[in-house]
Amino acid sequence: VKVPVTYAEAKAADDLSTASDFRVITSSSSLTLQNMTLLGGYLASASGGAIEHIAGIGSKGNSTHLTLDHVTIADSGAKNGGALSCGTNTLTIKNSVFRNNYASQNGGAIDRSSRGLTLEDVTFTGNTAGSSGGAIHVWQTGLTLKGDCLFENNTAGGSGGAILVNSTNNASSLTTTAPADGSEIIFRGNSAGAGGALWVSGPLTLN
């Protein structure tokens, strides 16, 4: 999916009339995206440049879920969560790529608050946040990394060049699980004012 204007053009304009009119927005329903590329989603005043999934309860009273499988999101931008902002009950991303996304505040690629985030075989390259979490900003919830995950050349103006996990009362956590098959979780070339790769306020478990 490609929008009519490029990310650079929309960001320079910083105007709702010329910014991207492509964004996936869903509320009170579960969503699964598979085998697609989303390019150039942008809205300066919003969260989730390409995807915004708003917390809610489904029409039948069921919890809502967001799953991304073999999805690439690139060249997208927003206030928070340059590629994705999610408040659903569960968020699972696997076999996916986040590249060259930008947030003026937090979460260059992903901004997630509450309810957990699980990543498996996901790559984050060249994402930028003006404040915290060059690739991922997590607040008051747990982040789990599995399989082969790569965080490379992500940047934050404040803390957490690749990942910032923040909370009050240790409500957030970061857990990595690399199985015995030789999978690796790699942080390379990330930078920030504090915590070039990671800034974690809460329990940290590295396996």
Side-chain angles (χ1 to χ4, degrees), residues 125-145:
T125 60
N127 302 286
T128 303
S131 182
S132 300
I136 301 172
H137 177 264
V138 172
W139 169 252
Q140 294 292 93
T141 192
L143 170 61
T144 301
L145 306 179

Side-chain angles (χ1 to χ4, degrees), residues 4-76:
V5 296
T6 67
Y7 163 74
E9 290 168 342
K11 184 174 184 297
D14 202 12
D15 184 335
L16 297 185
S17 65
T18 56
S20 164
D21 58 5
F22 157 67
R23 294 175 69 235
V24 178
I25 305 174
T26 182
S27 176
S28 301
S29 61
S30 293
L31 175 67
T32 298
L33 299 177
Q34 294 179 299
N35 304 313
M36 65 174 59
T37 297
L38 306 177
L39 299 175
Y42 179 76
L43 193 56
S45 60
S47 295
I51 301 172
E52 182 181 12
H53 203 310
I54 303 168
I57 301 298
S59 59
K60 297 182 180 180
N62 300 320
S63 298
T64 58
H65 313 284
L66 175 62
T67 302
L68 275 59
D69 187 6
H70 288 92
V71 172
T72 295
I73 303 179
D75 301 325
S76 295

Side-chain angles (χ1 to χ4, degrees), residues 55-136:
I57 301 298
S59 59
K60 297 182 180 180
N62 300 320
S63 298
T64 58
H65 313 284
L66 175 62
T67 302
L68 275 59
D69 187 6
H70 288 92
V71 172
T72 295
I73 303 179
D75 301 325
S76 295
K79 183 177 181 180
N80 294 294
L84 166 65
S85 175
C86 181
T88 56
N89 288 76
T90 61
L91 171 58
T92 302
I93 303 172
K94 51 188 177 181
N95 308 309
S96 296
V97 176
F98 292 80
R99 183 177 64 247
N100 297 338
N101 302 290
Y102 171 81
S104 60
Q105 292 190 1
N106 301 315
I110 297 174
D111 183 46
R112 173 67 162 160
S113 58
S114 73
R115 300 179 178 89
L117 168 58
T118 300
L119 304 175
E120 183 173 0
D121 299 325
V122 182
T123 295
F124 295 84
T125 60
N127 302 286
T128 303
S131 182
S132 300
I136 301 172

Side-chain angles (χ1 to χ4, degrees), residues 149-201:
C149 289
L150 172 64
F151 295 84
E152 186 171 31
N153 297 331
N154 303 287
T155 303
S159 302
I163 298 172
L164 182 134
V165 178
N166 204 359
S167 68
T168 57
N169 301 320
N170 287 330
S172 293
S173 63
L174 172 62
T175 302
T176 65
T177 303
D181 63 2
S183 298
E184 294 182 306
I185 297 170
I186 298 173
F187 294 85
R188 182 168 57 217
N190 304 286
S191 62
L198 300 173
W199 179 281
V200 180
S201 175

